[in-house]
Amino acid sequence: MNYDQLLALVDKLDQSSLAYIRYEHDGSKVELSKEVPHSQPVSMPAEMSSVSSPAIRETTPTVPSVVSDDKLHNETSTDVSEVAGVEVLSPMVGVAYLQPAPDKDPYVQVGDRVEAGDVVVIIEAMKIMTEIKAECSGIVVDILVANEELVEYDQPLIRIKEDN
């Protein structure tokens, strides 16, 4: 197999829905794959292993374990619900897109007003784009995922402070 034939085979694989090709001819073997091979895990240096991971994000306000009676009577419970808001959850596992195209503006930004039924995110799963819509009207107070981030089923995507 010469160089031009190899390039033609690579091009055919790229244009097809195949993920893998193995070709043998006259004692020559060629294996082509669209998938990136998984790399071996990299061990962390000892000085890095004590660093905590910043991946965990708290999305609800914390409440002190001990609250005096005076504070309990002076504070209202509506403060907690205003901060928390209504979360728009992912109905599936997939990739979250916060804008309709790379050169377009995001669907929503923090501080934007949304109406029930407005598209706030798109989730791509198996090449199918699913519009995720706001379930209530209000103000976007938090965007909980990054553009093109892999999201899980029931993962909070956006938080909206609902109109009263």
Side-chain angles (χ1 to χ4, degrees), residues 5-156:
Q5 292 171 324
L6 180 61
L7 286 179
L9 189 59
V10 169
D11 191 44
K12 293 274 187 201
L13 175 64
D14 189 43
Q15 294 176 4
S16 74
S17 63
L18 297 174
Y20 176 81
I21 293 177
R22 181 177 179 175
Y23 178 77
E24 292 184 37
H25 183 69
D26 292 334
S28 297
K29 289 188 218 177
V30 175
E31 291 185 30
L32 301 173
S33 174
K34 287 184 182 178
E35 297 182 20
V36 178
H38 297 293
S39 62
Q40 294 296 322
V42 177
S43 61
M44 237 192 263
E47 63 271 8
M48 293 287 290
S49 62
S50 64
V51 178
S52 63
S53 170
I56 299 173
R57 181 185 335 158
E58 191 170 309
T59 59
T60 56
T62 58
V63 178
S65 57
V66 177
V67 178
S68 69
D69 287 339
D70 294 338
K71 281 190 174 183
L72 187 62
H73 292 294
N74 291 337
E75 294 180 6
T76 62
S77 61
T78 58
D79 293 339
V80 173
S81 65
E82 287 179 4
V83 172
V86 176
E87 292 179 335
V88 177
L89 305 177
S90 176
M92 65 188 73
V93 174
V95 177
Y97 292 97
L98 302 178
Q99 56 199 64
D103 59 337
K104 301 289 184 187
D105 290 333
Y107 288 108
V108 294
Q109 295 179 352
V110 173
D112 286 355
R113 173 156 186 68
V114 295
E115 298 296 326
D118 287 353
V119 175
V120 293
V121 178
I122 285 185
I123 304 290
E124 175 192 6
M126 297 173 49
K127 305 284 185 200
I128 297 174
M129 304 295 196
T130 303
E131 293 181 337
I132 309 304
K133 298 178 180 180
E135 297 171 6
C136 64
S137 298
I139 304 295
V140 176
V141 292
D142 205 0
I143 298 176
L144 304 169
V145 296
N147 191 40
E148 298 182 11
E149 180 180 328
L150 181 63
V151 296
E152 298 293 325
Y153 172 76
D154 256 359
Q155 179 178 340

Side-chain angles (χ1 to χ4, degrees), residues 1-7:
M1 173 176 271
N2 66 32
Y3 182 72
D4 291 330
Q5 292 171 324
L6 180 61
L7 286 179

